[in-house]
Each structure stands twice: as structure tokens, then as C-alpha cells.
Amino acid sequence: MEKRMILAIALSIAVLIGYQYILPPPSQRAAQTASPAAKDNVSGGLVAGIAASPSANPGPATPVPGSLVPGSSAPVRVIRVKTPLYTAELSTAGGGLSALRLDSYMDRQGAQGKPLDIIIPSAELPAPLALSFGQSQPPLPAVLAYSSDSPDDLSIKAGESRTVSLSWASADGVRIIREYVFTGGKYEFEMRSQVGNGSSAPVRLTPGVSLSQTFKGDIGGADDGAFKGLVVDTKGGVERFDLKDIDKGKAARIPVRWAAADSKYFSLVVIPEKEWTLEGSARAGETGVRTTVSDALATIVPGDTLRFNARIYAGPKVQALLEKTAPNLEKLVDYGWFAVLARPIIFLLDASNRVTRNYGIDIIILTILIKLVFYPLTHKSMTAMRKMQELAPIILKLKEKYKDDTARINQETMQLYKTYGVNPMSGCLPMLLQIPFLIAFYKSLMVAINLRHAPFGLWIHDLSAVEHLYDLHVAGMTIPFRLLPLLMGGSMFLQQKMTPSSPGVDPSQQKMMLMLPIVFTFMFWSMPTGLTLYWFVSNLGGITQQVIYNKQVAAAKAA
């Protein structure tokens, strides 16, 4: 019975891991149909005042009849802001971010690694953080060409705050001022904006900020099922919209406290000073997404000024930093259904890493701790399985005696277990309890940025990635050779051979059980190395416990 249960557990593991890909976590927003107005707002909210990516090389826009005309022209400049954590580049063509390179996170491992740029340029997307004014009246130019008194290069020390100011003015007196306030040592910065009406007619607009991202390379992550899309904080909680949801029009007209263009390890977040609205969102190309986060429609009478501010978080999804930045922002790190287990796992790994400085060793230590915690249950399971093995001859006689009455065989077998104090389910309990830890470990290694590019030693250079030892070229095909999954499968086979067989298991089931190590080897072939290391060490711990138990039983019989 135990081995049949183990087979069921193996299938359950595959189903649970696949479940993370197929169905969203419970906070996912229920499906809803986008209204035509929401779809229209995609274009309307992303036209006025939004700069294209620098790669688009925008030229002078043809004025729309009746639109606001710039009072003067300004050359396109890129202002570089260097802080202890990152280097940001602001383009005066639209006033958005054209680059943000993180000094502590490289685009690749090794000496050739360069600071990772989390702003992926695209000719199909507006620059992130460009202002949006909806369908303003009178219309604003498609691309606002700002001027600035700030130097081309600005260096900010830790704890120091500096402001980059951008301004644009129309010929008849409408003036837009933008201020970026950067603080050294923080991934968070302020964005202050104001529109002053010095003309003789009212101006109607919907003030907001564009949010866009291209999910490719390190920002998109590998094809490992990691989330990429939009994440928002609403009154109903944190909701996620992947690229398919955005295609279906689900991410539209949603009141939000913050909105993020979110990828596996990094996020770009707009945190308005009050509740704004996530307007229509749209795909751009295969992997791009764009949206706007807007305040309510406003009318600015002559002589009046409209002000709207937001905070921006642009950087790594480090839980401690996210918690300090905004309520619920730490939920950008999505641990899935088993978050209650995943968070303590990450906490313990980080605590251990302060001593070892090696997350591979930390995984081994935590695995041993888990085996020790479960040892009383494991010992009970081994005892139950040994008793069942001792009852095997009696059960075989029952099957011969009642070979034509299956119900009677089951009844007599259960009575036999009851007489000898054997609980057949106790042999399965330790395996069942480890499944949530396996899934929690899987999610932790998938999304915890501390494990990104974390080496173990020898050929294992990244515990969050699939192992890559070398490639075999066979018949024109490239087959990756991975040692750790093979060791894991071998240890599982050895552990299976050491585990007592349940009485009455038919040959077909025994053959199926022998296939389990092969199934697990293929299942772990494309999983993060850290997870494979955990399961391999767990198998070794199980083998050790079985050896110790067998010696204890032999000693008890000899006494």
C-alpha cells in the first residue's frame, strides 16, 4: 500500500508543480470582459505627452489642428544620474526613463558581466514614466520635448538627495514641469509633476504616468513559468495579470494603490500619492506591455496649476526593501500557494548564509534540519512498514483463503492490522508532509532574488538555474548532460531498494514503482539546481535513517 501511495505522491508532485503554471494563485483577479471604452483608453491614455523609446529616434511631430504648440524647440538630451545603487538615464524627449542599470546585479556571471539594465528599449513602447494626459483638450504634442538646466551627468552620494528638473511650455502659456528627486542608497525616488495654465482658455486632461516593459532576456526570465506582466494593489488585494490576461483585456479600469510592470526578479512600480486608476493595458509585440496609471479627469482654468505626484520603485524584488516602500509591495515576491512555508525557508537560508556565504551549503543544512524535524514520523513510518512486512505471510494466506471474495480479504486484512496495532497510512505520512516543503522550496528557488547567480561549487554556478555541465552532440542533436539529476535518481533508486515492500503488491505495480526514479530524474532534469540538490540530500538522509533503523532492528533481535 505504501508504494502505491508513493506512486500517487509522485503524480501529485507533478500535478502541483504543473498547477503553478496552469492556474493563478488565489489572489488572481477573476476573469472579466473588457469594455470597448477600456480598449479605446489604451490608445487615448498613451498618446499625449508620451515619448517613444530612444531607439525610435522621434523627430518633430506634425501639430494637430488646434493643439498646443511648443513655444521653443530644445535639443534631445540624456541626463545620467549616478547613485551608489544604480545609474538612471532620463531622456528629455518625453521625460521618461531610457535606462536604469543596477550596479549590484550583473547581466551575466563572470568577469564579462555588466550592470543589468532593467529598462528594455523598444520602438513599440513609450519610455517608462513618461507623463500621460489622456485625450487632452486642447491636444498636447505626441512627444513633449523638455528642456532642462540639469547637467548631463549627476552623481549622488549615499543619503544625499538631488533633483532633476524638466520643463516644457506652449506658445500660449501652458507650462509643464517635471521633477525627479533621487536619493543615494535607495531604489525608490520621487516624481513630482505640475501643469500650469497661463493661457486664456481652460485645459482639460487626465494626468497620469506611463508604465511599460519588454520581458526578454534576464528581465523576462527563462521559459520556467516565472510570472511576467502587471501587478496591482487594489481594495480586494494584490492582483496579477500575465500577458494572456492583458490580451483578454482584464487589466483595465482598475482603482489601484500601486501598479508594477513585474518580472521574475525585478520590478518597476508606480506608487501614486492617492488612489489612481490602471487604465487600458495592451501588448506591444510578443513580449512587451504598456499601460497608464492615471488620476481623475481635471479642468485647469486660466491662472491655475494642477499638481500630481508619485513615488517610483525601480529595482530588485528584495522583500525587506519592498516592505519598507509601500503596503503589500512585498507581495510582488510571489511564493504561490505555500507562501507560509516559503517565507520561513528563505529566512532560514538567509540566516544560515550570513555564516556560510554559500547558499548550496545552506540548502544542505536546511534539508538536514527538515529531516531531523520529521525523524519521529519517519521512525514511526519505518516501524509500521516493518510490521506490515512481518504480516505479509498471514496476508498471503488470507488471499488464498478468500481468493474469490475481495471485500472479505480487505475486511480481514484491516482486522489483522487492528489486532497487531498497525496503521497502514503511517508509512505514507512523512512523504505526504514533505510535498508542501518541496513545492515551497521550488517556489523559493524560482523567485528569491538572493539565489540568483548564487554558486555552490565545482560545476554548479547558479542554484536558481538548471544545471549545465556540458552538452552531448548525438546524431545532430544537442543533449545537455546533467550530473546532479542522475545522482538524485540513483539515490532514489537505492532508497527504494532499501525500503521494505508492502505485502501483496502485484508484479505490475512493482514494475511501476521501479520506474519512479526514472520519472523523477526526468522531472528534475529541467528544475533549478538548488531544488535538485535539496531532493538529493533528502534522499541521502532517508538512506542514512534507513540504515540506522535497520541496525537498531538487528540489534533488538540479537538481544
Side-chain angles (χ1 to χ4, degrees), residues 50-58 93 97-99 117-128 210 212-216 282-290:
I50 289 190
S53 165
S55 61
N57 192 23
L97 278 176
S98 56
D117 190 351
I118 63 172
I119 306 297
I120 309 297
S122 172
E124 300 173 309
L125 288 174
S210 73
S212 61
Q213 184 60 283
T214 301
F215 299 107
K216 66 179 182 180
R283 286 275 290 273
E286 289 295 322
T287 59
V289 62
R290 61 178 186 173

Side-chain angles (χ1 to χ4, degrees), residues 349-362 454-456:
L349 285 175
D350 289 341
S352 174
N353 190 255
R354 295 188 189 102
V355 178
T356 67
R357 301 298 178 184
N358 187 309
Y359 276 106
I361 296 175
D362 302 326
F456 176 35

Side-chain angles (χ1 to χ4, degrees), residues 26-330:
S27 61
Q28 187 80 8
R29 186 176 182 84
Q32 59 180 357
T33 303
S35 65
K39 294 181 180 179
D40 291 343
N41 196 273
V42 173
S43 58
L46 292 169
V47 174
I50 289 190
S53 165
S55 61
N57 192 23
T62 303
V64 177
S67 64
L68 297 172
V69 179
S72 61
S73 61
V76 176
R77 295 174 53 205
V78 174
I79 301 172
R80 295 175 183 84
V81 181
K82 172 68 176 176
T83 78
L85 296 177
Y86 60 84
T87 298
E89 294 185 359
L90 301 171
S91 173
T92 59
L97 278 176
S98 56
L100 197 144
R101 291 182 288 274
L102 306 177
D103 293 340
S104 299
Y105 298 90
M106 300 295 107
D107 58 359
R108 68 185 70 181
Q109 290 178 293
Q112 295 182 340
K114 298 178 181 179
L116 177 67
D117 190 351
I118 63 172
I119 306 297
I120 309 297
S122 172
E124 300 173 309
L125 288 174
L129 307 186
L131 293 184
S132 169
F133 296 110
Q135 297 177 343
S136 61
Q137 293 296 328
L140 284 157
V143 176
L144 294 178
Y146 292 92
S147 60
S148 177
D149 294 332
S150 298
D152 289 344
D153 292 282
L154 190 65
S155 182
I156 303 175
K157 299 178 182 179
E160 181 184 10
S161 293
R162 300 284 296 274
T163 300
V164 175
S165 296
L166 308 173
S167 63
W168 177 90
S170 70
D172 52 358
V174 175
R175 185 175 179 84
I176 300 173
I177 298 176
R178 303 198 62 185
E179 292 181 340
Y180 287 93
V181 183
F182 297 95
T183 301
K186 290 185 176 182
Y187 290 106
E188 175 190 354
F189 55 89
E190 293 183 65
M191 192 178 65
R192 304 169 183 168
S193 307
Q194 64 181 52
V195 181
N197 186 2
S199 70
S200 58
V203 175
R204 287 170 55 86
L205 50 80
T206 304
V209 181
S210 73
L211 190 59
S212 61
Q213 184 60 283
T214 301
F215 299 107
K216 66 179 182 180
D218 209 328
I219 298 303
D223 296 330
D224 53 11
F227 176 86
K228 38 188 173 283
L230 297 175
V231 183
V232 298
D233 181 27
T234 71
K235 292 180 179 179
V238 174
E239 303 177 15
R240 291 176 167 80
F241 304 95
D242 60 20
L243 300 183
K244 291 181 180 179
D245 292 327
I246 293 169
D247 279 339
K248 295 174 183 178
K250 295 180 182 180
R253 301 295 178 89
I254 304 170
V256 298
R257 297 183 180 93
W258 52 257
D262 190 53
S263 60
K264 184 175 182 178
Y265 294 122
F266 306 96
S267 201
L268 178 60
V269 190
V270 176
I271 311 166
E273 59 184 355
K274 60 180 181 178
E275 188 176 87
W276 282 6
T277 300
L278 184 78
E279 301 291 355
S281 307
R283 286 275 290 273
E286 289 295 322
T287 59
V289 62
R290 61 178 186 173
T291 189
T292 53
V293 189
S294 302
D295 200 354
L297 177 67
T299 299
I300 310 172
V301 299
D304 204 357
T305 299
L306 173 68
R307 294 177 173 83
F308 53 103
N309 305 322
R311 292 182 295 130
I312 308 299
Y313 181 91
K317 290 160 63 172
V318 178
Q319 188 141 351
L321 298 179
L322 297 174
E323 288 175 350
K324 296 177 182 178
T325 303
N328 287 333
L329 199 60
E330 72 278 1

